[in-house]
Amino acid sequence: MGGDLGHRRPRPYGVQYAKAMGMHVVAADIFDDKLELAKKLDADMLVDGKAPDAVEQVQKAIGGVHGALVMGVSPEAMEQACGFLRSKGTMSLVGLPPGYISLPVFGPS
């Protein structure tokens, strides 16, 4: 996550909004300080986005997420978030990267 709705200090709104709405939050990031902030804000699960098995961690632990809010503008972040989704999950992109992104329309369910 990143940007004004994500974990950029001092406005970590993404986790706070989700928790205020009673959601369980999986926070994924490639920066340790942002994961630590998400932990302080009571994220239910932290995922190191650099881990080669990040998607598998989420799928194994909770069967995937119902929704993903992608704050980063890298194709890799978007692809990873798509992998976090469970069947019929929803992904929202806050920004788009220049160039192309490749996302599977129908993945394993």
Side-chain angles (χ1 to χ4, degrees):
M1 294 182 133
D4 291 343
L5 292 175
H7 290 341
R8 186 181 297 169
R9 292 183 185 155
R11 298 176 276 191
Y13 297 139
V15 173
Q16 290 174 318
Y17 283 149
K19 292 302 287 185
M21 293 189 306
M23 296 179 181
H24 296 280
V25 175
V26 174
D29 208 300
I30 61 171
F31 297 107
D32 293 338
D33 61 326
K34 292 181 182 181
L35 288 173
E36 186 60 35
L37 178 58
K39 181 179 178 180
K40 289 179 186 175
L41 295 171
D42 294 327
D44 298 285
M45 181 177 178
L46 304 176
V47 179
D48 181 351
K50 297 182 303 290
D53 66 339
V55 169
E56 290 79 14
Q57 288 178 40
V58 173
Q59 291 294 335
K60 183 178 179 182
I62 60 173
V65 299
H66 292 279
L69 177 62
V70 184
M71 310 304 288
V73 294
S74 74
E76 295 83 9
M78 294 170 188
E79 292 167 11
Q80 188 175 70
C82 189
F84 289 163
L85 293 173
R86 64 178 56 208
S87 180
K88 299 182 184 177
T90 301
M91 183 167 70
S92 296
L93 308 176
V94 174
L96 293 173
Y100 297 91
I101 56 174
S102 176
L103 300 173
V105 176
F106 301 105
S109 55

